Amino acid sequence: MLKLGSARKRRWVTYAPALALLLAGGLIAIDFDTWIELDIAALFGLPLVVAALSGRRLLMWGLAGALLVTTFVVYAQQIAPGSFSLREPFFLNRVLDAVAVLVTGGLLHALTLAMEQIERQNAQISAQNERKTRLLASVSHDISTPLTSMNVIAQLIRGNADRQSAGTDVARLAAMLEANARALAELFSDLLDLSSIDSGTVPLRETVFPLDELLREECRVLEPLAQEKSLRLEVDAPAQVRVRTDRIKLARVVRNLLSNALKFTEAGSITASCRRSGAAVEIRVADTGVGIVPADRERIFLEFTQLNGAGAGERAGWGLGLAICRRLVALMGGTIEVESEPGRGSTFIVRLPAGSSAR
């Protein structure tokens, strides 16, 4: 469909088919009286162009078929009995007209396909630009909060430096400053990861390794955080389950899922498990936390999505962890989903395809 202004385009798409039919009907009606003398068939490309402008290729080819049939039907009625010959000039003229109609239809068909492809690409570019705009807006807002906190904390530390009782305050303020700096570093790391994944520049380095070892390593790293909240961090993984995939990227996914579970679980346990599901490998991270309402189960995998819940603290994160998980899992050829009920916890399930598993 050719590019027009949005309002004009809608009007054109509405009226173009009727105009094309009117043109075709008018040319056919004229032909019955003056076909041979004026060679009206030479103008049959006009209704095809009008139909193509509306983006209705089926209508265009329907008109082309009707016009071609009419061309030869009328010619057969108008020639004198016994005068037909394959070399008869008017017959040859009609054959050339028919070829011209078919060539015109083919070119217009290709043109409309090309224009639709361009429109799809423009729509994708527009969506990407809109996404980047939202991303920059979110980043600028999220960066300002820890930067402001860091600036205020630095001023307080400087003001308390000469006080005799400043030791405890300085330690507390220094811890807050460290936490904000770490949050900023995590944000920039996540943004770089998202950018690299979206640009297709992240390579896969596949190896074969025991899945239970990876789960135990990641749980061991996060065990101190679980102990601070008096949570049980458990692994339920048989030793015989091995997988062929990118170990570093899979570890990042498991770490993000475990960290997310720790943030939103105040009591109970978090369990990392794995098993074979048919020919595929399935990894589960289950918690006894606040759970997720059905309306948010898909939204949580979008960038900068933050859910309110007990245990999240003042900041539940940047809303990038699960978005990165989904992209990394897709890069490894798998899928990720969540099963959850509000107040009864959540279970995140990562499935790697049969081609990624190894005995």
Side-chain angles (χ1 to χ4, degrees):
M1 194 181 300
L2 298 183
K3 293 288 288 181
L4 298 169
S6 57
R8 292 174 58 197
K9 181 177 177 180
R10 287 193 295 270
R11 289 197 296 269
W12 179 258
V13 171
T14 301
Y15 297 118
L19 179 59
L21 291 171
L22 183 63
L23 279 173
L27 290 172
I28 290 174
I30 293 173
D31 268 355
F32 274 94
D33 295 327
T34 58
W35 197 290
I36 293 179
E37 291 81 1
L38 298 181
D39 189 17
I40 299 300
L43 302 177
F44 280 176
L46 292 177
L48 300 186
V49 171
V50 174
L53 288 173
S54 71
R56 311 245 179 127
R57 287 186 292 273
L58 184 60
L59 171 64
M60 181 190 70
W61 285 114
L63 288 176
L67 293 169
L68 289 175
V69 170
T70 304
T71 296
F72 291 102
V73 168
V74 174
Y75 173 74
Q77 293 177 353
Q78 290 184 333
I79 62 173
S83 64
F84 174 73
S85 169
L86 291 177
R87 296 189 177 184
E88 197 272 322
F90 288 114
F91 176 75
L92 293 176
N93 179 266
R94 296 303 179 267
V95 171
L96 292 175
D97 286 338
V99 171
V101 168
L102 292 175
V103 171
T104 301
L107 292 174
L108 290 173
H109 186 100
L111 177 63
T112 55
L113 286 176
M115 295 305 298
E116 288 179 358
Q117 178 65 23
I118 291 173
E119 285 195 348
R120 284 194 293 268
Q121 291 175 349
N122 289 338
Q124 292 174 354
I125 292 173
S126 177
Q128 290 174 354
N129 289 335
E130 182 180 352
R131 178 172 169 267
K132 288 179 180 178
T133 300
R134 293 199 308 268
L135 179 66
L136 290 174
S138 298
V139 169
S140 62
H141 174 268
D142 288 336
I143 285 179
S144 66
T145 301
L147 283 178
T148 300
S149 298
M150 292 169 68
N151 184 50
V152 171
I153 292 169
Q155 292 177 3
L156 290 174
I157 290 177
R158 186 177 61 183
N160 289 335
D162 296 330
R163 289 170 46 195
Q164 294 182 353
S165 60
T168 303
D169 290 339
V170 169
R172 178 177 57 83
L173 293 173
M176 294 172 61
L177 187 63
E178 180 186 5
N180 279 280
R182 185 168 57 248
L184 273 180
E186 291 175 356
L187 172 61
F188 283 112
S189 176
D190 288 344
L191 288 174
L192 288 174
D193 287 342
L194 277 178
S195 177
S196 298
I197 296 170
D198 288 344
S199 65
T201 59
V202 179
L204 280 178
R205 296 180 174 86
E206 293 187 343
T207 58
V208 179
F209 55 91
L211 198 50
D212 66 310
E213 290 185 5
L214 183 144
L215 296 181
R216 296 183 196 283
E217 286 176 7
E218 295 304 319
C219 286
R220 191 158 45 245
V221 171
L222 296 174
E223 181 65 32
L225 296 178
Q227 291 177 352
E228 285 182 8
K229 300 181 72 173
S230 300
L231 297 174
R232 297 190 308 278
L233 188 54
E234 303 170 343
V235 177
D236 179 13
Q240 66 269 24
V241 178
R242 298 171 68 84
V243 65
R244 176 186 292 277
T245 191
D246 191 311
R247 182 184 179 111
I248 294 176
K249 292 177 179 56
L250 184 57
R252 175 73 183 277
V253 171
V254 172
R255 191 179 314 126
N256 279 356
L257 295 179
L258 289 171
S259 298
N260 206 55
L262 285 168
K263 290 177 184 176
F264 290 95
T265 304
E266 287 299 295
S269 64
I270 298 165
T271 303
S273 63
C274 67
R275 66 184 180 92
R276 289 192 175 276
S277 179
V281 171
E282 188 175 278
I283 302 169
R284 291 175 173 253
V285 175
D287 63 60
T288 57
V290 296
I292 305 167
V293 298
D296 289 333
R297 289 176 194 164
E298 181 63 25
R299 192 171 68 89
I300 58 174
F301 293 102
L302 302 177
E303 297 94 338
F304 294 103
T305 298
Q306 296 175 343
L307 304 182
N308 296 323
E314 294 182 358
R315 172 166 295 279
W318 303 105
L320 292 174
L322 291 178
I324 291 174
C325 285
R326 169 168 282 186
R327 283 169 167 76
L328 289 176
V329 170
L331 186 66
M332 292 183 284
T335 61
I336 182 171
E337 63 183 45
V338 61
E339 297 174 353
S340 183
E341 292 185 29
R344 303 190 65 178
S346 304
T347 300
F348 285 85
I349 306 167
V350 175
R351 293 186 179 91
L352 298 179
S356 296
S357 60
R359 294 186 180 278

